PDB file of all heavy atoms in Angstrom:
ATOM      1  N   MET V   1       0.819  -1.214  -0.007  1.00 96.00           N
ATOM      2  CA  MET V   1       0.006   0.012   0.015  1.00 96.00           C
ATOM      3  C   MET V   1       0.873   1.268   0.000  1.00 96.00           C
ATOM      4  O   MET V   1       1.813   1.360   0.754  1.00 96.00           O
ATOM      5  CB  MET V   1      -0.913   0.031   1.220  1.00 96.00           C
ATOM      6  CG  MET V   1      -1.815   1.258   1.307  1.00 96.00           C
ATOM      7  SD  MET V   1      -2.640   1.435   2.908  1.00 96.00           S
ATOM      8  CE  MET V   1      -3.706  -0.017   2.920  1.00 96.00           C
ATOM      9  N   ILE V   2       0.555   2.175  -0.891  1.00 97.00           N
ATOM     10  CA  ILE V   2       1.199   3.492  -0.916  1.00 97.00           C
ATOM     11  C   ILE V   2       0.148   4.574  -0.737  1.00 97.00           C
ATOM     12  O   ILE V   2      -0.869   4.591  -1.445  1.00 97.00           O
ATOM     13  CB  ILE V   2       1.956   3.712  -2.252  1.00 97.00           C
ATOM     14  CG1 ILE V   2       3.013   2.644  -2.436  1.00 97.00           C
ATOM     15  CG2 ILE V   2       2.593   5.120  -2.256  1.00 97.00           C
ATOM     16  CD1 ILE V   2       3.725   2.734  -3.798  1.00 97.00           C
ATOM     17  N   ILE V   3       0.341   5.443   0.233  1.00 96.00           N
ATOM     18  CA  ILE V   3      -0.574   6.546   0.527  1.00 96.00           C
ATOM     19  C   ILE V   3       0.104   7.835   0.151  1.00 96.00           C
ATOM     20  O   ILE V   3       1.211   8.132   0.612  1.00 96.00           O
ATOM     21  CB  ILE V   3      -0.960   6.579   2.012  1.00 96.00           C
ATOM     22  CG1 ILE V   3      -1.558   5.216   2.436  1.00 96.00           C
ATOM     23  CG2 ILE V   3      -1.921   7.689   2.323  1.00 96.00           C
ATOM     24  CD1 ILE V   3      -1.782   5.082   3.919  1.00 96.00           C
ATOM     25  N   ARG V   4      -0.523   8.595  -0.746  1.00 93.00           N
ATOM     26  CA  ARG V   4       0.097   9.815  -1.252  1.00 93.00           C
ATOM     27  C   ARG V   4      -0.842  10.997  -1.082  1.00 93.00           C
ATOM     28  O   ARG V   4      -2.022  10.930  -1.417  1.00 93.00           O
ATOM     29  CB  ARG V   4       0.436   9.635  -2.763  1.00 93.00           C
ATOM     30  CG  ARG V   4       1.047  10.841  -3.429  1.00 93.00           C
ATOM     31  CD  ARG V   4       1.587  10.477  -4.771  1.00 93.00           C
ATOM     32  NE  ARG V   4       2.663   9.490  -4.651  1.00 93.00           N
ATOM     33  CZ  ARG V   4       3.181   8.818  -5.678  1.00 93.00           C
ATOM     34  NH1 ARG V   4       2.711   9.005  -6.879  1.00 93.00           N
ATOM     35  NH2 ARG V   4       4.170   7.947  -5.448  1.00 93.00           N
ATOM     36  N   GLU V   5      -0.313  12.084  -0.565  1.00 86.00           N
ATOM     37  CA  GLU V   5      -1.102  13.290  -0.349  1.00 86.00           C
ATOM     38  C   GLU V   5      -0.888  14.248  -1.519  1.00 86.00           C
ATOM     39  O   GLU V   5       0.241  14.608  -1.849  1.00 86.00           O
ATOM     40  CB  GLU V   5      -0.683  13.974   0.960  1.00 86.00           C
ATOM     41  CG  GLU V   5      -1.531  15.186   1.307  1.00 86.00           C
ATOM     42  CD  GLU V   5      -1.185  15.765   2.680  1.00 86.00           C
ATOM     43  OE1 GLU V   5      -0.526  15.050   3.466  1.00 86.00           O
ATOM     44  OE2 GLU V   5      -1.588  16.879   2.955  1.00 86.00           O
ATOM     45  N   THR V   6      -1.986  14.626  -2.158  1.00 80.00           N
ATOM     46  CA  THR V   6      -1.943  15.606  -3.256  1.00 80.00           C
ATOM     47  C   THR V   6      -2.972  16.674  -3.001  1.00 80.00           C
ATOM     48  O   THR V   6      -4.164  16.389  -2.896  1.00 80.00           O
ATOM     49  CB  THR V   6      -2.232  14.927  -4.612  1.00 80.00           C
ATOM     50  OG1 THR V   6      -3.526  14.287  -4.570  1.00 80.00           O
ATOM     51  CG2 THR V   6      -1.178  13.883  -4.925  1.00 80.00           C
ATOM     52  N   ASP V   7      -2.508  17.895  -2.871  1.00 75.00           N
ATOM     53  CA  ASP V   7      -3.398  19.026  -2.544  1.00 75.00           C
ATOM     54  C   ASP V   7      -4.167  18.724  -1.287  1.00 75.00           C
ATOM     55  O   ASP V   7      -3.579  18.541  -0.233  1.00 75.00           O
ATOM     56  CB  ASP V   7      -4.323  19.334  -3.718  1.00 75.00           C
ATOM     57  CG  ASP V   7      -3.531  19.754  -4.984  1.00 75.00           C
ATOM     58  OD1 ASP V   7      -2.484  20.389  -4.789  1.00 75.00           O
ATOM     59  OD2 ASP V   7      -3.951  19.410  -6.093  1.00 75.00           O
ATOM     60  N   ASN V   8      -5.504  18.605  -1.401  1.00 83.00           N
ATOM     61  CA  ASN V   8      -6.332  18.384  -0.204  1.00 83.00           C
ATOM     62  C   ASN V   8      -6.908  16.982  -0.138  1.00 83.00           C
ATOM     63  O   ASN V   8      -7.944  16.760   0.494  1.00 83.00           O
ATOM     64  CB  ASN V   8      -7.470  19.410  -0.167  1.00 83.00           C
ATOM     65  CG  ASN V   8      -6.990  20.813   0.034  1.00 83.00           C
ATOM     66  OD1 ASN V   8      -6.021  21.065   0.762  1.00 83.00           O
ATOM     67  ND2 ASN V   8      -7.611  21.752  -0.640  1.00 83.00           N
ATOM     68  N   GLU V   9      -6.287  16.026  -0.781  1.00 89.00           N
ATOM     69  CA  GLU V   9      -6.780  14.668  -0.778  1.00 89.00           C
ATOM     70  C   GLU V   9      -5.619  13.657  -0.643  1.00 89.00           C
ATOM     71  O   GLU V   9      -4.488  13.985  -0.923  1.00 89.00           O
ATOM     72  CB  GLU V   9      -7.567  14.361  -2.070  1.00 89.00           C
ATOM     73  CG  GLU V   9      -6.761  14.430  -3.334  1.00 89.00           C
ATOM     74  CD  GLU V   9      -7.578  14.158  -4.555  1.00 89.00           C
ATOM     75  OE1 GLU V   9      -8.801  14.093  -4.474  1.00 89.00           O
ATOM     76  OE2 GLU V   9      -6.972  14.037  -5.664  1.00 89.00           O
ATOM     77  N   LYS V  10      -6.003  12.462  -0.180  1.00 91.00           N
ATOM     78  CA  LYS V  10      -5.024  11.381  -0.079  1.00 91.00           C
ATOM     79  C   LYS V  10      -5.401  10.287  -1.064  1.00 91.00           C
ATOM     80  O   LYS V  10      -6.561   9.829  -1.081  1.00 91.00           O
ATOM     81  CB  LYS V  10      -4.983  10.814   1.344  1.00 91.00           C
ATOM     82  CG  LYS V  10      -4.357  11.769   2.352  1.00 91.00           C
ATOM     83  CD  LYS V  10      -4.204  11.103   3.697  1.00 91.00           C
ATOM     84  CE  LYS V  10      -3.619  12.063   4.725  1.00 91.00           C
ATOM     85  NZ  LYS V  10      -2.233  12.414   4.457  1.00 91.00           N
ATOM     86  N   LYS V  11      -4.448   9.857  -1.874  1.00 94.00           N
ATOM     87  CA  LYS V  11      -4.673   8.765  -2.807  1.00 94.00           C
ATOM     88  C   LYS V  11      -4.026   7.501  -2.283  1.00 94.00           C
ATOM     89  O   LYS V  11      -2.913   7.555  -1.724  1.00 94.00           O
ATOM     90  CB  LYS V  11      -4.092   9.114  -4.197  1.00 94.00           C
ATOM     91  CG  LYS V  11      -4.783  10.312  -4.861  1.00 94.00           C
ATOM     92  CD  LYS V  11      -4.197  10.548  -6.236  1.00 94.00           C
ATOM     93  CE  LYS V  11      -4.886  11.706  -6.931  1.00 94.00           C
ATOM     94  NZ  LYS V  11      -4.311  11.981  -8.285  1.00 94.00           N
ATOM     95  N   ILE V  12      -4.701   6.359  -2.419  1.00 95.00           N
ATOM     96  CA  ILE V  12      -4.189   5.096  -1.966  1.00 95.00           C
ATOM     97  C   ILE V  12      -4.064   4.154  -3.159  1.00 95.00           C
ATOM     98  O   ILE V  12      -5.001   3.975  -3.924  1.00 95.00           O
ATOM     99  CB  ILE V  12      -5.097   4.482  -0.885  1.00 95.00           C
ATOM    100  CG1 ILE V  12      -5.178   5.414   0.323  1.00 95.00           C
ATOM    101  CG2 ILE V  12      -4.582   3.108  -0.462  1.00 95.00           C
ATOM    102  CD1 ILE V  12      -6.155   4.974   1.373  1.00 95.00           C
ATOM    103  N   LYS V  13      -2.884   3.545  -3.298  1.00 96.00           N
ATOM    104  CA  LYS V  13      -2.619   2.665  -4.427  1.00 96.00           C
ATOM    105  C   LYS V  13      -1.928   1.415  -3.921  1.00 96.00           C
ATOM    106  O   LYS V  13      -1.052   1.482  -3.032  1.00 96.00           O
ATOM    107  CB  LYS V  13      -1.693   3.359  -5.434  1.00 96.00           C
ATOM    108  CG  LYS V  13      -1.277   2.517  -6.617  1.00 96.00           C
ATOM    109  CD  LYS V  13      -2.440   2.259  -7.578  1.00 96.00           C
ATOM    110  CE  LYS V  13      -1.920   1.543  -8.824  1.00 96.00           C
ATOM    111  NZ  LYS V  13      -3.006   1.274  -9.781  1.00 96.00           N
ATOM    112  N   TYR V  14      -2.338   0.259  -4.475  1.00 96.00           N
ATOM    113  CA  TYR V  14      -1.677  -0.998  -4.153  1.00 96.00           C
ATOM    114  C   TYR V  14      -0.817  -1.393  -5.316  1.00 96.00           C
ATOM    115  O   TYR V  14      -1.262  -1.404  -6.479  1.00 96.00           O
ATOM    116  CB  TYR V  14      -2.704  -2.112  -3.847  1.00 96.00           C
ATOM    117  CG  TYR V  14      -3.449  -1.913  -2.557  1.00 96.00           C
ATOM    118  CD1 TYR V  14      -4.701  -1.285  -2.564  1.00 96.00           C
ATOM    119  CD2 TYR V  14      -2.935  -2.377  -1.349  1.00 96.00           C
ATOM    120  CE1 TYR V  14      -5.406  -1.108  -1.380  1.00 96.00           C
ATOM    121  CE2 TYR V  14      -3.633  -2.183  -0.172  1.00 96.00           C
ATOM    122  CZ  TYR V  14      -4.883  -1.560  -0.180  1.00 96.00           C
ATOM    123  OH  TYR V  14      -5.557  -1.386   0.966  1.00 96.00           O
ATOM    124  N   VAL V  15       0.460  -1.726  -5.052  1.00 94.00           N
ATOM    125  CA  VAL V  15       1.370  -2.155  -6.113  1.00 94.00           C
ATOM    126  C   VAL V  15       1.823  -3.587  -5.850  1.00 94.00           C
ATOM    127  O   VAL V  15       1.905  -4.031  -4.687  1.00 94.00           O
ATOM    128  CB  VAL V  15       2.617  -1.209  -6.211  1.00 94.00           C
ATOM    129  CG1 VAL V  15       2.164   0.182  -6.574  1.00 94.00           C
ATOM    130  CG2 VAL V  15       3.408  -1.196  -4.918  1.00 94.00           C
ATOM    131  N   ASN V  16       2.113  -4.321  -6.913  1.00 94.00           N
ATOM    132  CA  ASN V  16       2.477  -5.723  -6.857  1.00 94.00           C
ATOM    133  C   ASN V  16       3.958  -5.883  -7.210  1.00 94.00           C
ATOM    134  O   ASN V  16       4.351  -5.680  -8.347  1.00 94.00           O
ATOM    135  CB  ASN V  16       1.620  -6.504  -7.832  1.00 94.00           C
ATOM    136  CG  ASN V  16       1.900  -8.008  -7.743  1.00 94.00           C
ATOM    137  OD1 ASN V  16       2.747  -8.461  -6.979  1.00 94.00           O
ATOM    138  ND2 ASN V  16       1.167  -8.783  -8.532  1.00 94.00           N
ATOM    139  N   LEU V  17       4.767  -6.201  -6.221  1.00 92.00           N
ATOM    140  CA  LEU V  17       6.206  -6.346  -6.432  1.00 92.00           C
ATOM    141  C   LEU V  17       6.585  -7.715  -6.965  1.00 92.00           C
ATOM    142  O   LEU V  17       7.762  -7.980  -7.251  1.00 92.00           O
ATOM    143  CB  LEU V  17       6.999  -6.066  -5.145  1.00 92.00           C
ATOM    144  CG  LEU V  17       6.822  -4.677  -4.561  1.00 92.00           C
ATOM    145  CD1 LEU V  17       7.750  -4.494  -3.367  1.00 92.00           C
ATOM    146  CD2 LEU V  17       7.101  -3.602  -5.600  1.00 92.00           C
ATOM    147  N   GLU V  18       5.593  -8.614  -7.107  1.00 91.00           N
ATOM    148  CA  GLU V  18       5.862  -9.911  -7.749  1.00 91.00           C
ATOM    149  C   GLU V  18       5.679  -9.831  -9.246  1.00 91.00           C
ATOM    150  O   GLU V  18       6.033 -10.763  -9.971  1.00 91.00           O
ATOM    151  CB  GLU V  18       4.926 -10.961  -7.150  1.00 91.00           C
ATOM    152  CG  GLU V  18       5.181 -11.246  -5.668  1.00 91.00           C
ATOM    153  CD  GLU V  18       4.290 -12.366  -5.138  1.00 91.00           C
ATOM    154  OE1 GLU V  18       3.467 -12.881  -5.923  1.00 91.00           O
ATOM    155  OE2 GLU V  18       4.446 -12.731  -3.974  1.00 91.00           O
ATOM    156  N   ASP V  19       5.113  -8.726  -9.736  1.00 89.00           N
ATOM    157  CA  ASP V  19       4.826  -8.546 -11.140  1.00 89.00           C
ATOM    158  C   ASP V  19       5.755  -7.447 -11.695  1.00 89.00           C
ATOM    159  O   ASP V  19       5.828  -6.359 -11.143  1.00 89.00           O
ATOM    160  CB  ASP V  19       3.366  -8.139 -11.347  1.00 89.00           C
ATOM    161  CG  ASP V  19       2.914  -8.215 -12.805  1.00 89.00           C
ATOM    162  OD1 ASP V  19       3.759  -7.938 -13.679  1.00 89.00           O
ATOM    163  OD2 ASP V  19       1.778  -8.585 -13.071  1.00 89.00           O
ATOM    164  N   HIS V  20       6.473  -7.734 -12.782  1.00 87.00           N
ATOM    165  CA  HIS V  20       7.439  -6.776 -13.277  1.00 87.00           C
ATOM    166  C   HIS V  20       6.771  -5.545 -13.894  1.00 87.00           C
ATOM    167  O   HIS V  20       7.461  -4.596 -14.264  1.00 87.00           O
ATOM    168  CB  HIS V  20       8.374  -7.427 -14.312  1.00 87.00           C
ATOM    169  CG  HIS V  20       7.691  -7.855 -15.593  1.00 87.00           C
ATOM    170  ND1 HIS V  20       7.002  -9.044 -15.691  1.00 87.00           N
ATOM    171  CD2 HIS V  20       7.583  -7.239 -16.796  1.00 87.00           C
ATOM    172  CE1 HIS V  20       6.506  -9.141 -16.925  1.00 87.00           C
ATOM    173  NE2 HIS V  20       6.820  -8.054 -17.601  1.00 87.00           N
ATOM    174  N   SER V  21       5.446  -5.537 -14.024  1.00 87.00           N
ATOM    175  CA  SER V  21       4.752  -4.355 -14.512  1.00 87.00           C
ATOM    176  C   SER V  21       4.889  -3.169 -13.566  1.00 87.00           C
ATOM    177  O   SER V  21       4.577  -2.030 -13.907  1.00 87.00           O
ATOM    178  CB  SER V  21       3.271  -4.628 -14.759  1.00 87.00           C
ATOM    179  OG  SER V  21       2.631  -4.979 -13.545  1.00 87.00           O
ATOM    180  N   ILE V  22       5.422  -3.422 -12.366  1.00 90.00           N
ATOM    181  CA  ILE V  22       5.656  -2.346 -11.398  1.00 90.00           C
ATOM    182  C   ILE V  22       6.583  -1.287 -11.995  1.00 90.00           C
ATOM    183  O   ILE V  22       6.490  -0.112 -11.715  1.00 90.00           O
ATOM    184  CB  ILE V  22       6.246  -2.901 -10.081  1.00 90.00           C
ATOM    185  CG1 ILE V  22       6.559  -1.809  -9.073  1.00 90.00           C
ATOM    186  CG2 ILE V  22       7.509  -3.686 -10.335  1.00 90.00           C
ATOM    187  CD1 ILE V  22       5.339  -1.074  -8.564  1.00 90.00           C
ATOM    188  N   PHE V  23       7.490  -1.729 -12.912  1.00 89.00           N
ATOM    189  CA  PHE V  23       8.430  -0.775 -13.519  1.00 89.00           C
ATOM    190  C   PHE V  23       7.735   0.193 -14.435  1.00 89.00           C
ATOM    191  O   PHE V  23       8.298   1.245 -14.761  1.00 89.00           O
ATOM    192  CB  PHE V  23       9.511  -1.567 -14.302  1.00 89.00           C
ATOM    193  CG  PHE V  23      10.418  -2.348 -13.397  1.00 89.00           C
ATOM    194  CD1 PHE V  23      10.478  -3.704 -13.524  1.00 89.00           C
ATOM    195  CD2 PHE V  23      11.223  -1.748 -12.472  1.00 89.00           C
ATOM    196  CE1 PHE V  23      11.328  -4.465 -12.731  1.00 89.00           C
ATOM    197  CE2 PHE V  23      12.087  -2.455 -11.671  1.00 89.00           C
ATOM    198  CZ  PHE V  23      12.118  -3.829 -11.790  1.00 89.00           C
ATOM    199  N   ASN V  24       6.526  -0.127 -14.866  1.00 89.00           N
ATOM    200  CA  ASN V  24       5.764   0.785 -15.732  1.00 89.00           C
ATOM    201  C   ASN V  24       4.763   1.637 -14.960  1.00 89.00           C
ATOM    202  O   ASN V  24       4.038   2.403 -15.550  1.00 89.00           O
ATOM    203  CB  ASN V  24       4.995  -0.041 -16.783  1.00 89.00           C
ATOM    204  CG  ASN V  24       5.942  -0.894 -17.652  1.00 89.00           C
ATOM    205  OD1 ASN V  24       5.960  -2.082 -17.526  1.00 89.00           O
ATOM    206  ND2 ASN V  24       6.705  -0.257 -18.502  1.00 89.00           N
ATOM    207  N   SER V  25       4.716   1.437 -13.656  1.00 90.00           N
ATOM    208  CA  SER V  25       3.739   2.134 -12.840  1.00 90.00           C
ATOM    209  C   SER V  25       4.223   3.523 -12.455  1.00 90.00           C
ATOM    210  O   SER V  25       5.386   3.698 -12.049  1.00 90.00           O
ATOM    211  CB  SER V  25       3.431   1.337 -11.580  1.00 90.00           C
ATOM    212  OG  SER V  25       2.634   2.098 -10.674  1.00 90.00           O
ATOM    213  N   PRO V  26       3.349   4.527 -12.530  1.00 89.00           N
ATOM    214  CA  PRO V  26       3.739   5.892 -12.032  1.00 89.00           C
ATOM    215  C   PRO V  26       3.944   5.920 -10.523  1.00 89.00           C
ATOM    216  O   PRO V  26       4.436   6.909 -10.011  1.00 89.00           O
ATOM    217  CB  PRO V  26       2.541   6.745 -12.466  1.00 89.00           C
ATOM    218  CG  PRO V  26       1.407   5.810 -12.626  1.00 89.00           C
ATOM    219  CD  PRO V  26       1.984   4.511 -13.062  1.00 89.00           C
ATOM    220  N   TRP V  27       3.626   4.815  -9.839  1.00 92.00           N
ATOM    221  CA  TRP V  27       3.823   4.733  -8.384  1.00 92.00           C
ATOM    222  C   TRP V  27       5.127   4.024  -8.056  1.00 92.00           C
ATOM    223  O   TRP V  27       5.412   3.820  -6.887  1.00 92.00           O
ATOM    224  CB  TRP V  27       2.647   4.004  -7.753  1.00 92.00           C
ATOM    225  CG  TRP V  27       1.362   4.773  -7.833  1.00 92.00           C
ATOM    226  CD1 TRP V  27       0.577   4.945  -8.904  1.00 92.00           C
ATOM    227  CD2 TRP V  27       0.729   5.513  -6.788  1.00 92.00           C
ATOM    228  NE1 TRP V  27      -0.501   5.729  -8.627  1.00 92.00           N
ATOM    229  CE2 TRP V  27      -0.445   6.100  -7.301  1.00 92.00           C
ATOM    230  CE3 TRP V  27       1.029   5.727  -5.429  1.00 92.00           C
ATOM    231  CZ2 TRP V  27      -1.302   6.868  -6.549  1.00 92.00           C
ATOM    232  CZ3 TRP V  27       0.146   6.490  -4.666  1.00 92.00           C
ATOM    233  CH2 TRP V  27      -0.989   7.062  -5.233  1.00 92.00           C
ATOM    234  N   TYR V  28       5.897   3.635  -9.070  1.00 93.00           N
ATOM    235  CA  TYR V  28       7.179   2.976  -8.797  1.00 93.00           C
ATOM    236  C   TYR V  28       8.127   3.910  -8.045  1.00 93.00           C
ATOM    237  O   TYR V  28       8.807   3.499  -7.111  1.00 93.00           O
ATOM    238  CB  TYR V  28       7.802   2.517 -10.107  1.00 93.00           C
ATOM    239  CG  TYR V  28       9.193   1.944  -9.938  1.00 93.00           C
ATOM    240  CD1 TYR V  28       9.397   0.711  -9.313  1.00 93.00           C
ATOM    241  CD2 TYR V  28      10.342   2.633 -10.394  1.00 93.00           C
ATOM    242  CE1 TYR V  28      10.652   0.188  -9.150  1.00 93.00           C
ATOM    243  CE2 TYR V  28      11.600   2.113 -10.241  1.00 93.00           C
ATOM    244  CZ  TYR V  28      11.772   0.884  -9.603  1.00 93.00           C
ATOM    245  OH  TYR V  28      13.028   0.359  -9.422  1.00 93.00           O
ATOM    246  N   TYR V  29       8.137   5.199  -8.458  1.00 92.00           N
ATOM    247  CA  TYR V  29       8.936   6.164  -7.759  1.00 92.00           C
ATOM    248  C   TYR V  29       8.057   6.864  -6.696  1.00 92.00           C
ATOM    249  O   TYR V  29       6.999   7.390  -7.027  1.00 92.00           O
ATOM    250  CB  TYR V  29       9.506   7.197  -8.704  1.00 92.00           C
ATOM    251  CG  TYR V  29      10.728   6.710  -9.405  1.00 92.00           C
ATOM    252  CD1 TYR V  29      10.663   6.288 -10.733  1.00 92.00           C
ATOM    253  CD2 TYR V  29      11.961   6.642  -8.744  1.00 92.00           C
ATOM    254  CE1 TYR V  29      11.781   5.822 -11.379  1.00 92.00           C
ATOM    255  CE2 TYR V  29      13.088   6.166  -9.399  1.00 92.00           C
ATOM    256  CZ  TYR V  29      13.000   5.758 -10.703  1.00 92.00           C
ATOM    257  OH  TYR V  29      14.106   5.278 -11.348  1.00 92.00           O
ATOM    258  N   LEU V  30       8.518   6.832  -5.453  1.00 92.00           N
ATOM    259  CA  LEU V  30       7.801   7.474  -4.380  1.00 92.00           C
ATOM    260  C   LEU V  30       8.035   8.969  -4.440  1.00 92.00           C
ATOM    261  O   LEU V  30       9.050   9.427  -4.987  1.00 92.00           O
ATOM    262  CB  LEU V  30       8.276   6.934  -3.044  1.00 92.00           C
ATOM    263  CG  LEU V  30       8.102   5.434  -2.843  1.00 92.00           C
ATOM    264  CD1 LEU V  30       8.786   4.972  -1.549  1.00 92.00           C
ATOM    265  CD2 LEU V  30       6.642   5.032  -2.843  1.00 92.00           C
ATOM    266  N   GLN V  31       7.123   9.719  -3.880  1.00 88.00           N
ATOM    267  CA  GLN V  31       7.212  11.156  -3.827  1.00 88.00           C
ATOM    268  C   GLN V  31       7.285  11.610  -2.392  1.00 88.00           C
ATOM    269  O   GLN V  31       6.971  10.855  -1.462  1.00 88.00           O
ATOM    270  CB  GLN V  31       6.030  11.794  -4.579  1.00 88.00           C
ATOM    271  CG  GLN V  31       6.023  11.493  -6.060  1.00 88.00           C
ATOM    272  CD  GLN V  31       4.888  12.183  -6.793  1.00 88.00           C
ATOM    273  OE1 GLN V  31       4.246  13.091  -6.283  1.00 88.00           O
ATOM    274  NE2 GLN V  31       4.624  11.751  -8.016  1.00 88.00           N
ATOM    275  N   PRO V  32       7.743  12.864  -2.176  1.00 87.00           N
ATOM    276  CA  PRO V  32       7.881  13.339  -0.785  1.00 87.00           C
ATOM    277  C   PRO V  32       6.597  13.172   0.018  1.00 87.00           C
ATOM    278  O   PRO V  32       5.501  13.416  -0.458  1.00 87.00           O
ATOM    279  CB  PRO V  32       8.233  14.826  -0.981  1.00 87.00           C
ATOM    280  CG  PRO V  32       8.867  14.867  -2.327  1.00 87.00           C
ATOM    281  CD  PRO V  32       8.171  13.857  -3.155  1.00 87.00           C
ATOM    282  N   ASN V  33       6.783  12.689   1.233  1.00 89.00           N
ATOM    283  CA  ASN V  33       5.741  12.474   2.232  1.00 89.00           C
ATOM    284  C   ASN V  33       4.823  11.297   1.923  1.00 89.00           C
ATOM    285  O   ASN V  33       3.760  11.149   2.547  1.00 89.00           O
ATOM    286  CB  ASN V  33       4.912  13.762   2.399  1.00 89.00           C
ATOM    287  CG  ASN V  33       5.752  14.956   2.767  1.00 89.00           C
ATOM    288  OD1 ASN V  33       6.652  14.842   3.591  1.00 89.00           O
ATOM    289  ND2 ASN V  33       5.511  16.077   2.131  1.00 89.00           N
ATOM    290  N   ASP V  34       5.214  10.426   0.986  1.00 94.00           N
ATOM    291  CA  ASP V  34       4.453   9.179   0.774  1.00 94.00           C
ATOM    292  C   ASP V  34       4.584   8.291   1.998  1.00 94.00           C
ATOM    293  O   ASP V  34       5.597   8.300   2.728  1.00 94.00           O
ATOM    294  CB  ASP V  34       5.009   8.442  -0.455  1.00 94.00           C
ATOM    295  CG  ASP V  34       4.461   8.965  -1.760  1.00 94.00           C
ATOM    296  OD1 ASP V  34       3.595   9.863  -1.712  1.00 94.00           O
ATOM    297  OD2 ASP V  34       4.862   8.448  -2.821  1.00 94.00           O
ATOM    298  N   ILE V  35       3.542   7.486   2.238  1.00 96.00           N
ATOM    299  CA  ILE V  35       3.564   6.470   3.275  1.00 96.00           C
ATOM    300  C   ILE V  35       3.469   5.119   2.602  1.00 96.00           C
ATOM    301  O   ILE V  35       2.564   4.861   1.805  1.00 96.00           O
ATOM    302  CB  ILE V  35       2.377   6.650   4.257  1.00 96.00           C
ATOM    303  CG1 ILE V  35       2.476   8.030   4.972  1.00 96.00           C
ATOM    304  CG2 ILE V  35       2.373   5.540   5.313  1.00 96.00           C
ATOM    305  CD1 ILE V  35       1.260   8.332   5.790  1.00 96.00           C
ATOM    306  N   VAL V  36       4.434   4.240   2.920  1.00 97.00           N
ATOM    307  CA  VAL V  36       4.421   2.865   2.373  1.00 97.00           C
ATOM    308  C   VAL V  36       4.088   1.911   3.491  1.00 97.00           C
ATOM    309  O   VAL V  36       4.810   1.845   4.508  1.00 97.00           O
ATOM    310  CB  VAL V  36       5.804   2.513   1.765  1.00 97.00           C
ATOM    311  CG1 VAL V  36       5.772   1.098   1.193  1.00 97.00           C
ATOM    312  CG2 VAL V  36       6.164   3.512   0.639  1.00 97.00           C
ATOM    313  N   TYR V  37       2.993   1.160   3.297  1.00 97.00           N
ATOM    314  CA  TYR V  37       2.576   0.223   4.319  1.00 97.00           C
ATOM    315  C   TYR V  37       2.609  -1.200   3.733  1.00 97.00           C
ATOM    316  O   TYR V  37       1.883  -1.507   2.772  1.00 97.00           O
ATOM    317  CB  TYR V  37       1.145   0.564   4.794  1.00 97.00           C
ATOM    318  CG  TYR V  37       0.645  -0.385   5.880  1.00 97.00           C
ATOM    319  CD1 TYR V  37       1.280  -0.484   7.100  1.00 97.00           C
ATOM    320  CD2 TYR V  37      -0.487  -1.159   5.675  1.00 97.00           C
ATOM    321  CE1 TYR V  37       0.823  -1.327   8.087  1.00 97.00           C
ATOM    322  CE2 TYR V  37      -0.966  -2.005   6.656  1.00 97.00           C
ATOM    323  CZ  TYR V  37      -0.286  -2.067   7.878  1.00 97.00           C
ATOM    324  OH  TYR V  37      -0.722  -2.929   8.841  1.00 97.00           O
ATOM    325  N   VAL V  38       3.462  -2.034   4.299  1.00 96.00           N
ATOM    326  CA  VAL V  38       3.602  -3.416   3.845  1.00 96.00           C
ATOM    327  C   VAL V  38       2.671  -4.298   4.639  1.00 96.00           C
ATOM    328  O   VAL V  38       2.810  -4.431   5.856  1.00 96.00           O
ATOM    329  CB  VAL V  38       5.065  -3.912   3.980  1.00 96.00           C
ATOM    330  CG1 VAL V  38       5.206  -5.330   3.477  1.00 96.00           C
ATOM    331  CG2 VAL V  38       5.993  -2.967   3.213  1.00 96.00           C
ATOM    332  N   LEU V  39       1.666  -4.875   3.955  1.00 94.00           N
ATOM    333  CA  LEU V  39       0.653  -5.634   4.625  1.00 94.00           C
ATOM    334  C   LEU V  39       1.187  -7.022   5.046  1.00 94.00           C
ATOM    335  O   LEU V  39       2.100  -7.551   4.451  1.00 94.00           O
ATOM    336  CB  LEU V  39      -0.554  -5.813   3.718  1.00 94.00           C
ATOM    337  CG  LEU V  39      -1.258  -4.545   3.246  1.00 94.00           C
ATOM    338  CD1 LEU V  39      -2.342  -4.882   2.254  1.00 94.00           C
ATOM    339  CD2 LEU V  39      -1.821  -3.786   4.437  1.00 94.00           C
ATOM    340  N   SER V  40       0.532  -7.586   6.061  1.00 92.00           N
ATOM    341  CA  SER V  40       0.885  -8.927   6.550  1.00 92.00           C
ATOM    342  C   SER V  40       0.021  -9.951   5.856  1.00 92.00           C
ATOM    343  O   SER V  40      -1.181  -9.733   5.645  1.00 92.00           O
ATOM    344  CB  SER V  40       0.685  -8.994   8.048  1.00 92.00           C
ATOM    345  OG  SER V  40       0.849 -10.335   8.523  1.00 92.00           O
TER     346      SER V  40
END
């Protein structure tokens, strides 16, 4: 899980690190103040 704050809203995105399509994702690079939560 990646939580990103943009203006007055928070966007939440789930990325799959088992799939190489992560390299094509705009969420591959984190931005300032992102929160990364690794689920159990």
Side-chain angles (χ1 to χ4, degrees):
M1 179 191 295
I2 301 176
I3 304 172
R4 178 169 297 169
E5 185 174 344
T6 57
D7 297 327
N8 294 323
E9 62 181 9
K10 289 186 182 293
K11 295 182 179 180
I12 299 174
K13 176 72 173 179
Y14 291 94
V15 298
N16 183 359
L17 299 185
E18 294 183 359
D19 193 325
H20 66 278
S21 63
I22 179 65
F23 293 116
N24 302 108
S25 171
W27 293 75
Y28 174 70
Y29 280 103
L30 302 172
Q31 295 183 14
N33 304 318
D34 278 357
I35 299 173
V36 180
Y37 181 62
V38 181
L39 301 175
S40 173

